[in-house]
Amino acid sequence: MKLKYYIISSALVLSFSSCKKELEKLPQQDIAEEVAFNSPSTALGALRGVYSTAQTFDFYGSLPQVIGDYMGNNVDFVGTFPTLQELNNFSTVSTNVNVATMWQVHYQVITRANNVIAKINIVDGLSAGEKAQYAAEAKFLRALAYFQLANFFAQPFQVSSGSNLAVPLVLEPFDGTVKYPSRSTLNQVHAQVIQDLNEAIPALPQSYTDAAETRGRATKGAAYALLSRLYLYREEWAKAESAARSTLAQGIYDTAPNYAFYSGNTSEDVFTIQNSAIDNGRTGSGGWASYYNPAALGGRGDAPFSEDLINAYTSEAGDKRYDLKISGTAADGLPHLFTSKFPDAVNNSDNSPVIRTTEVYLNLAEALAHQSTTPSVEAVTILNDRIRSRAGLLPKTVTTQQALIDALLIERRKELAFEGHSRMDLLRNRQALRTGNAAAAFGGTKTILPIPQREIDNNPGLQGQQNSGY
Amino acid sequence: MKKLLQSLFILLFVASSAMAQERTITGTVTGKGDGLPLPGVSVKIKGTSSGTTTGADGKFTIRVASSASTIEFSSIGYVSQSIAIGGRNSISVSLVSDAQSLTDVVVVGYGTASKKDVIGSVAKVTGESLQNIPAPSFDRALAGKATGVQVITPSGLLGQAPQVRIRGINSITSGASPLYVVDGIPVISGDVGGFTSVNALADINSNDIESIEILKDGAATAIYGSRAANGVVLITTKRGKSGTQFNYDGWTAIANISSRFDLLNADEFVTIANERFTNAGQTPQAKPTPDGSGGFVDTDWQDAVFQQSVQQSHSVSASGGTDKTKYFMSLGFTDQKGAIVSNSLRKYSFRANLDQKITNFLTFGITSGVTYQKNLGPLAGSNNLSGNIFAATRMLPNVPIYSTTDITGYNISADRRSLGPGANLSPISDNIPNIRFVLDNNVRQSQTIRLIGSTYLEAKIMDGLKFKTQLGIDGSYIEDFVYTDPRHGDGFSSNGSMSQAYSPFFRWNWQNILSYTKSINGEHNIDVTLVSELQKQRSSFFQANVSNLLNIYFNQNITSGTFITPTISGGLTLNGIESYLGRLNYNYKNKYYITGSIRRDALSSLPMGNRVGYFPGVGIQYRINQEEFFKNAEGLSFISDLRLKASFAEVGNTDIGSFPYFGTYGAALYGNQGGIGFNNTGNPLLKWESQKKYDVGLDVGVLSNRVNLSVSYWKQDTKDLILAAPTAPVLGVPGNSISRNVGSMTNKGWEFSVNADVLPAGKVKWNTTLNFSVQSNKVTGLVDGNDIVGDYNLTRVGESIRTLYGYQYAGVNAANGNPLYVKADGSLVQGRISNTTYYKYDPANPNYFFNAAQPVSATNPDNRSSLTANDKVILGNSLPKWFGGFNNTVTYGDFDLNVFLRFQGGNYIMNRTRQDLLSNNFVNNSVEVLGRWQSVENPGDGQMPRLWAARGAFINLDNNAVSRFVEKGDFLRMDNLALGYSLPSSILSKGSIRKVRVYASAQNLFVITGYKGLDPETNTSGAGVDFNGNPQLRTFTFGLNLGF
């Protein structure tokens, strides 16, 4: 009988002794917030997570850039998505789903960047230099996000010198308290972008050991280049010139000898979002290659060349940039021309071009041209030796400041077509997005996007702040 | 073992026979009710330890000393008898079935109880009533068997898990299924298949089930604490009994789908399709396709997706036992081919349950079940181009299925993207593939190995005090596979693809149960149970996907070197629960009962501050018929049982996802570098959904319980429902919402049941059971009171959850064939099909439309209008308000007849399939389209507007609920009709056979309903929506039950 009680009492003791360990489970699928910033490797992971969000379809995964080209005059949108057609027809409504998602994803990039900026200093094991660099990279991406948001959701600087409303500025990570920020003015948003970039530049490296990182992560050159674009948009020519020169002074950028550089991570690239077959911004409904390729090549055939762009290329015979095309049947069932800049419609591994050396030279040339009442010699040299000769065109002789500016804008358009610049390059030059369409005129209410209705509904701070016309 | 014991006894007798004057007594033991011989009855000489047991034929032989005076006969389930020997040499006995002790034992949480002592609302379903039915899983057969338990099988697909709802739907976003416990081990349930449906509960062989207890109210479920809100289903498998038994149960069934769609034939299709093009100002595109022998092709595509199938099941089991060892073993094999093409289920199951007495105070036991399941199924998505119903109902009837000119032998278009157009000028809309090619060539498969088992050690510490420790496991190893053929269909654009996933799930559960039973003078009866329970589970998966296949031969498994593009994904989740609980039952003289229990649960999936909860439950019972005054009242003697019960409990629902409270970073790639990104916003205040259960009931038994009546009223208030509270997108919160405990709802209902032995004895016996439940649901709180709006449903404060919500249809404008709708203000608008614009409808001037090219004037008033989301109204409750079952068993001599009817109603169904079948694309339609408006002279049925190519979405408001397609879901179903014949015992007793029964039965013989779809129980996307669901089956079964 003794034995019986031994067995029973030991079983009892065993069973009622608490097994605390079993409850201390952390998610294995994901990393708990408190763990994310407690080691150098997870902190670097969190930073890469911001880049990863930047790859998203609705950020730099093609949608905003494709919209930037078809709301401009480079692309004819012939696809079937009603929400994208609305944008094409300048008849968007505030419930447009694509607009809502774009807005939301931009703020996701911002929130993820805010997390890194605010929390990087608590990470043990990172050197002060690494902490500063990670924060600087996050600030670069935050600047990119606010700049692109302001371009889409606010009238350009040229409409009212930047005193108009742009987007809410959220600069702190979400701590659980729901806040309702209101829209800041375009000048305030631009000032924040400038501040982020200027704060980032000292801590950013000039380059990384790996070419894919030198072209795919934030660098001093990339930050200066983005500044030059912003100053150009703000018509602060001297600052644009100086920023562009600072990029080129890094010594690792040069215009490529020909047009085989796409997705190449060469000296032509200043900042390029790195995509791969298993990791890219494609969604079920679109992506760079998906929009820009005909069905025969595996694309949707939604975004062929516009008639206007074809005319621009064919106005001078022999433009090699016009060779970057394929013909095929578009989504409207008709034959069209498509760009060959994004050829991989099967795996969607094409990189997303954000800033190219050519653009920096064009920024520099345009800034120079605006600062000199006679044609700037340096700008003409860029125009002819850097841009036109590569395109197989004869040097152009310009006699007036305006002629130089016009020539540069034409080259800019032909050079950067399908990379998302068309709409803003037209608007900042006070031009209509389309000819013969009153809604597309400079300053037209539907040339910019509505604040998403969902945002207005959930954010009392935005009551009465909808863009006019929506 | 038994043999051994018998030989021991014989030895003993031989040894002792020399010592005393002895003689031999022989005899037969039979059952009193059926007169059948009883094997395994213990035959003992009173006052000694010598004895024997009866053989399979009920006969025994025993040698007794001259001093012996009495023999005792005892067997589990029968009342023991003592017979004086006297001078007899032969004694035959009939034992009376101890119905009380056998059938009235009820399994409750962490123990059993006598039925008379059960205070909680527990519905018991015997294993017997689930057997001999060709259901692919036992849970489907629970439908209509118990009050308050609603079982809906959404389609005839074999692997599909039914939706089981106990006392309503008690959550909005979290799980609404009950907790399933098999032999004390909580097990996983639901659909576990990756690419085709697989019901986890099909892993349990219905022939192995002894009983199922469904715990409904607070008193019964509180013991399961944080997991009890949706009720608990306890499944008990068979264990050995004394006496050897061997059973064979087998059946063969022929299954067909119970109803088909009424689609257009080729001629009608050509007429309708061309009318559509003509109305739209386009060239007619449909043309009859010559069939090569002078006629024209007329294909019934339903023949390509439905078939008659043969199914079979065989199950053998052996059980037996002595007073020390008891075993039950079984092997089951089921092979079911679906009546839906490419659907099948093959299953092997094995069970061994053993109980062994080690010493007089220790018992050891093992429960083990192993099942292999292989499920194959079609893609059944409501809106998939190659979804079997979506595609089959759209296939053009004027083109053939097969074609000798295509390399595949199927009729496929030249660009290989869609069905071949035949003589039509246009291909089918939306590039829908030839569905028969898809079904024949693509593979969607799931193979599961499941182990559910436990071992226990039970010790009797002293009289009434027992301790039991039990370690159980539930392991499920699922391999999913899908192959899409590169030649046509889903695999065409990726040049063929395969995905293979492995998803192991493992749970262990350790319970320690201390129980104490004590009766003081028969007056104070006490029963205490204390339990500690620890559970941990790990579930993970990894999946490999390949595309760009090099060779279609390799389509059974991913094979190295046969593809170009691979991708891999995976994930892991761990979970743990730690619990302590106690229960106290007390009654005074079996008259006044009180039970109280409390459970403390700690869950790893909740935040530190909130992971511990206490869940109390109390119940009381008053057995009025035990009162002296009642017993003494002559006039009340016909009442054999009368009791009142009431209970209350506070329980929870933890089926809320793995780590909903955590702010987490998920994996995020950048190029080829691994990163992490903020993907879930934590809410450190999150806790489980909590529920208060109230129940009052009255049980009455009359005429020695020949008739039993039961009535109960229940109410469940659930609060802290987890809902996504939206945040402003500028905060960058992933998903733009935070999970918060903000919702609440109330479910309440009445349950009635009657069980009567109308004819209890004699040549004709008749037992009838009727159960009937009435339920209602009301949402009482949402995030800031805001509606949750879906495509067809709406969840709104004050309404029943997921009420149908959409537009009100007002018929066809007879003047022009445009559809009319009712706006929110009650006014009518007509949707002008020709320019897809809404105009105010004036019956006096039905053809007037504002001319936008002209300025507004007295002669050109602007009557443009609109139809927007603001015009949507509630169209009907999607949850059934009443349901039940009516079961009758009649035996006439050796014949037995079962008639089981099931009914349900009070709900509305959005017949989305019907809406879909009226598409104006270049696809086939249902015959309903023939009632379309053609002209003022030929206005059709008044409901079907004018046709217009590609304007179906405008005409029928596709993807919205519309009153025109919202129908009543009431039905009465002949669920089971079975006729059996058992060979009489007079024949059987000659061989050593105990039972031979043959039967023929029909399942789902007919449904009486006004519903126009295939079946009122079809349920696809969301509550109350029938959207291209697969049809139900009608099965004819022939079976044999054999017992030795």
Side-chain angles (χ1 to χ4, degrees), chain A residues 77-98:
Chain A
F77 184 81
V78 297
T80 49
F81 288 105
T83 47
L84 297 183
Q85 283 172 352
E86 282 176 5
L87 291 164
N88 189 41
N89 301 335
F90 304 98
S91 60
T92 316
V93 291
S94 63
T95 51
N96 184 301
V97 177
N98 290 108

Side-chain angles (χ1 to χ4, degrees), chain B residues 136 140 152-162 197 340 343 380 1015 1017-1020 1028-1033:
Chain B
R140 291 195 184 191
I152 291 182
T153 299
S155 78
L157 288 171
L158 295 164
Q160 186 141 37
S197 34
I340 294 156
N343 180 216
D1015 194 284
E1017 280 191 283
T1018 306
N1019 190 336
T1020 48
N1028 288 330
N1030 272 279
Q1032 308 275 352
L1033 305 186

Side-chain angles (χ1 to χ4, degrees), chain A residues 440-452:
Chain A
F442 169 67
T445 56
K446 298 221 167 176
T447 58
I448 62 170
L449 306 187
I451 306 299

Side-chain angles (χ1 to χ4, degrees), chain A residues 59-82:
Chain A
F59 187 73
Y60 253 98
S62 77
L63 183 67
Q65 294 74 42
V66 172
I67 291 172
D69 266 304
Y70 78 67
M71 283 186 76
N73 56 8
N74 283 346
V75 165
D76 225 359
F77 184 81
V78 297
T80 49
F81 288 105

Side-chain angles (χ1 to χ4, degrees), chain B residues 46 175 181 185 192 195 199 211 244 259 310 345 435 594 635 651 657 666 789 801 817 949 974 1007 1043:
Chain B
K46 193 168 185 174
V181 179
I185 311 297
V192 292
F195 307 120
N199 182 3
S211 73
T244 311
S259 55
V310 177
L345 169 61
I435 188 61
I594 182 156
V651 294
V789 184
I801 183 173
M974 178 63 119
V1007 186

Side-chain angles (χ1 to χ4, degrees), chain B residues 355-426:
Chain B
D355 300 280
Q356 173 70 47
K357 253 190 184 158
I358 304 170
T359 70
N360 58 352
F361 70 92
L362 273 182
T363 311
F364 172 74
I366 288 181
T367 306
S368 61
V370 181
T371 304
Y372 166 82
Q373 257 201 79
K374 181 174 174 179
N375 277 277
L376 283 162
L379 180 66
S382 300
N383 224 350
N384 287 109
L385 293 183
S386 58
N388 67 334
I389 300 299
F390 177 96
T393 54
R394 282 174 161 77
M395 293 284 103
L396 311 181
N398 65 337
V399 303
I401 300 175
Y402 302 102
S403 160
T404 50
T405 56
D406 192 89
I407 188 166
T408 61
Y410 293 86
N411 177 24
I412 294 171
S413 67
D415 68 359
R416 314 217 61 78
R417 288 178 178 273
S418 62
L419 174 69
N424 297 311
L425 304 180
S426 281

Side-chain angles (χ1 to χ4, degrees), chain A residues 368-424:
Chain A
L368 289 167
H370 275 285
Q371 293 177 81
S372 162
T373 49
T374 55
S376 150
V377 176
E378 194 183 351
V380 173
T381 309
I382 292 171
L383 173 73
N384 287 327
D385 297 0
R386 291 267 171 197
I387 313 294
R388 287 179 59 88
S389 85
R390 183 171 67 175
L393 300 176
L394 292 171
K396 194 170 180 117
T397 313
V398 287
T399 51
T400 64
Q401 181 187 24
Q402 193 55 47
L404 175 58
I405 293 169
D406 290 347
L408 283 167
L409 288 174
I410 288 167
E411 294 310 322
R412 188 180 177 90
R413 176 186 187 190
K414 295 200 278 190
E415 191 64 40
L416 302 177
F418 308 105
E419 293 173 41
H421 294 263
S422 178
R423 175 177 161 276
M424 280 311 291

Side-chain angles (χ1 to χ4, degrees), chain A residues 4 15 18 22-23 27 29-31 33 37 45 48-49 52 55 104 111-112 174 213 216 274 279 454-455, chain B residues 361 460-461 512 536 572 578 611 662-665 669-671 673-674 676 678-679 681 729-732 736:
Chain A
K4 171 169 146 181
S15 64
S18 165
E22 297 308 334
L23 284 184
Q29 191 79 30
D30 304 305
I31 295 176
E33 196 163 4
F37 289 99
R48 286 183 185 146
S52 178
Q55 280 179 294
Q104 181 187 323
T111 301
R112 287 182 169 188
F174 179 64
E213 291 197 291
Q274 305 289 309
D279 179 50
R454 192 197 147 100
E455 183 69 49
Chain B
F361 70 92
K460 228 182 235 173
I461 303 171
N512 295 285
K536 187 186 156 187
L572 167 70
E578 183 193 69
R611 61 172 48 155
F662 250 122
T664 55
Y665 280 68
L669 266 182
Y670 177 54
Q673 297 175 318
I676 52 175
F678 191 36
N679 68 351
T681 306
V730 286
L731 298 177
N736 293 318

